[in-house]
Amino acid sequence: MAQRLDGQAQQVWRQGDKAGAFARWRAAVQLDPNTAYLRFNWGLALQKTGNRWGAIASTGMLGGGLHPPKPLAIWGGMLLEMGYPQAALDLYERALSQFPHSEVLHRHLASFYLSRTEPTAAATHAHEAIALAPTAAAWSLLGSALGQQQRIEEAKAAFDRALTLDPHHLEAQLNLGCVHQEQKDLEAAIAAFRRGIDLATHQPNTGPLLAKAHFHLACTLLAAGRYQEGWEAYEWRWQLPGMSTLPAPLWQGEPVDRLAVWGEQGFGDVLQFVRFVPRVRSRCRELYLVCRPPLQSLLQDSLADMGVTVLSEPASLPAVAAHIPLLSLPRLLQTNLNTLPADVPYLRVGSGAIAAHPLPPAPIRLGLVWQSGAHNVTAFAQEKSCGWERLAPLVAALPQIQFYSLQMGGTSPLPDLTAHCHNFRDTAAYLQQLDGLIAVDTAAAHLAGALAKPTWVLLPYAADWRWGVDRPDSPWYRTLRLLRQPRRDDWETPVQEAIAQVAEFYGLRP
């Protein structure tokens, strides 16, 4: 009888009668409470409706007992999705003690540790899963663990193995594209992401992965300088989990009474893309720019003359006719490398702010930043930060220069200006007095570029899309020089190049 009710429940579920299906599964479990697959089917249906706690409770997991590996793995995944990582790990480990040879549990543990950026533990469980059952999913997880460890060639081999076993494995396909990005093989990355888009389009329930494929494709196209294609694909970011927008119609470029432009990403992104705001000022009677509080005073000083009101909280925004995210403006304006608004400076600091942050005189004064708080978009991105220890030889090699630290939260023997930097206007006031900046890829580099200060940017081997590939300059900022690692993890080479270029620029003998 319970088995027949389960069959009826599945049938009416497929017909769209969820209430009828739940009633039949509940009755089946009451008739046969010890049969795990009945609870599992009921819980799986509840999970599909978004009722994860109901799914877990319906399975009887919270009451303990012995359960098959697959439901235990799925329950752990539910706990992780709901923000209970320790509970998920406890469940996985308890389950593995009961089923030490469960390939599915090892795979879920590998996935868990990848989500926590613990690649060594992830690789251990991926290897265990492969030893038990060498599936495409297990090989893909191993590839991700190797990628997080910066073992890029080995990661590529693992993804290739996964795709040999299953050419339709979507995660492996997308991660292979990320590997190509890290190898700076942009054409191969573009082809891999396009293949991933094709796979995701023809597979069920792949919405987030489809958006991820388009987003990675966008970043690769932009890195290749194919801006118009890239901006189109970049709009897929709004389909990624966790992205939100304003409650107003999306602006299409038509004349409007009141328009809101808002910076939806990091500090560096806003500093880089705020250059587009003047291009749309004439299309609205009132223009509001919404940004995070540390940017407000600097952007208000810079945009006040053109009648732009800068707000730090969306709640302060009056009713608007339309809105547009700041990083969607290049697409709207059909921007390419030839039409990029590259005039600098486009940010400015009032004399009062500079007077409030005076620096003592010195023949040459340079700022240093060695730590980035930002993250690349690729799955296996290199560390953007080089650390003070790697910049110390530069300071020692150029004793004629007075160096200052602009590193928030940093520790070094240099005079530290950050105690007086409460927002980006304060930082800009110091930069205006400095003769230049040496920095890793972080917001300070964008700020210095937007102020037209001589700037040397130290970049990892596979840099973020905005810096292109291998070129020594930037179309976004004419005063920037890009110093790239010739190989992964080699910071010594760009630091030595910085020493030589700075010495030549200022007429010094290092």
Side-chain angles (χ1 to χ4, degrees), residues 367-424:
L368 288 182
V369 180
W370 53 86
Q371 189 79 24
S372 174
H375 301 281
N376 270 318
V377 296
T378 59
F380 315 124
Q382 271 185 272
E383 178 62 66
K384 292 181 178 182
S385 305
C386 67
W388 158 250
E389 295 77 11
R390 290 189 173 99
L391 281 188
L394 180 147
V395 174
L398 298 168
Q400 309 94 322
I401 297 176
Q402 174 61 64
F403 287 97
Y404 289 93
S405 170
L406 284 170
Q407 178 60 61
M408 301 300 293
T411 301
S412 77
L414 302 178
D416 187 359
L417 302 179
T418 61
H420 307 288
C421 292
H422 304 294
N423 52 52
F424 277 90

Side-chain angles (χ1 to χ4, degrees), residues 176-451:
L176 180 62
C178 292
V179 163
H180 288 312
Q181 281 182 312
E182 292 303 304
Q183 293 175 321
K184 298 201 292 190
D185 189 346
L186 300 191
E187 290 306 314
I190 289 169
F193 292 134
R194 290 199 191 281
R195 167 67 175 159
I197 289 168
D198 182 65
L199 290 176
T201 302
H202 294 92
Q203 293 179 17
N205 304 317
T206 58
L209 288 177
L210 178 61
K212 179 181 176 182
H214 277 284
F215 181 72
H216 283 311
L217 174 63
C219 294
T220 312
L221 289 167
L222 292 169
R226 295 160 60 173
Y227 275 14
Q228 287 184 294
E229 293 176 86
W231 300 133
E232 288 293 333
Y234 200 61
E235 291 303 297
W236 275 86
R237 69 192 185 279
W238 299 111
Q239 306 303 317
L240 294 171
M243 295 294 283
S244 60
T245 186
L246 294 180
L250 182 64
W251 188 49
Q252 304 299 327
E254 73 281 6
V256 293
D257 181 61
R258 185 180 286 162
L259 174 66
V261 178
W262 56 288
E264 85 273 13
Q265 297 194 38
F267 292 129
D269 298 288
V270 175
L271 292 168
Q272 179 182 1
F273 284 81
V274 73
R275 71 183 71 213
F276 292 99
V277 171
R279 298 291 182 98
V280 300
R281 180 63 187 94
S282 63
R283 304 190 192 186
C284 55
R285 185 177 63 84
E286 295 179 25
L287 178 57
Y288 293 86
L289 174 63
V290 182
C291 65
R292 292 159 68 183
L295 289 166
Q296 183 185 17
S297 57
L298 172 65
L299 298 184
Q300 188 65 77
D301 288 349
S302 302
L303 300 172
D305 285 353
M306 61 186 69
V308 177
T309 301
V310 181
L311 302 174
S312 62
E313 297 292 341
S316 304
L317 191 66
V320 296
H323 80 93
I324 188 167
L326 183 61
L327 274 68
S328 292
L329 287 178
R331 171 185 170 272
L332 181 74
L333 297 170
Q334 299 183 326
T335 302
N336 57 42
L337 283 171
N338 296 321
T339 61
L340 183 68
D343 291 339
V344 292
Y346 56 84
L347 297 180
R348 68 183 187 187
V349 189
S351 58
I354 295 174
H357 298 81
L359 287 178
I364 304 171
R365 300 175 295 193
L366 292 182
L368 288 182
V369 180
W370 53 86
Q371 189 79 24
S372 174
H375 301 281
N376 270 318
V377 296
T378 59
F380 315 124
Q382 271 185 272
E383 178 62 66
K384 292 181 178 182
S385 305
C386 67
W388 158 250
E389 295 77 11
R390 290 189 173 99
L391 281 188
L394 180 147
V395 174
L398 298 168
Q400 309 94 322
I401 297 176
Q402 174 61 64
F403 287 97
Y404 289 93
S405 170
L406 284 170
Q407 178 60 61
M408 301 300 293
T411 301
S412 77
L414 302 178
D416 187 359
L417 302 179
T418 61
H420 307 288
C421 292
H422 304 294
N423 52 52
F424 277 90
R425 180 167 63 181
D426 295 337
T427 306
Y430 282 126
L431 278 171
Q432 284 286 52
Q433 299 172 75
L434 295 173
D435 295 290
L437 177 73
I438 301 171
V440 295
D441 178 7
T442 190
H446 291 281
L447 178 58
L451 293 168

Side-chain angles (χ1 to χ4, degrees), residues 146 150-158 179 183:
L146 293 168
Q150 301 295 301
R151 295 160 64 181
I152 298 300
E153 293 297 331
E154 294 172 79
K156 181 180 181 299
V179 163
Q183 293 175 321

Side-chain angles (χ1 to χ4, degrees), residues 420-498:
H420 307 288
C421 292
H422 304 294
N423 52 52
F424 277 90
R425 180 167 63 181
D426 295 337
T427 306
Y430 282 126
L431 278 171
Q432 284 286 52
Q433 299 172 75
L434 295 173
D435 295 290
L437 177 73
I438 301 171
V440 295
D441 178 7
T442 190
H446 291 281
L447 178 58
L451 293 168
K453 304 298 292 187
T455 304
W456 291 264
V457 185
L458 309 175
L459 295 175
Y461 175 73
D464 192 62
W465 68 261
R466 71 201 71 224
W467 308 120
V469 178
D470 294 335
R471 64 183 296 168
D473 61 347
S474 169
W476 293 86
Y477 306 104
R478 62 174 174 80
T479 62
L480 261 62
R481 293 296 175 265
L482 308 180
L483 308 176
R484 302 173 184 271
Q485 291 182 348
R487 63 194 66 83
R488 302 181 74 81
D489 300 322
D490 175 8
W491 286 109
E492 182 179 358
T493 299
V495 168
Q496 290 300 316
E497 289 178 357

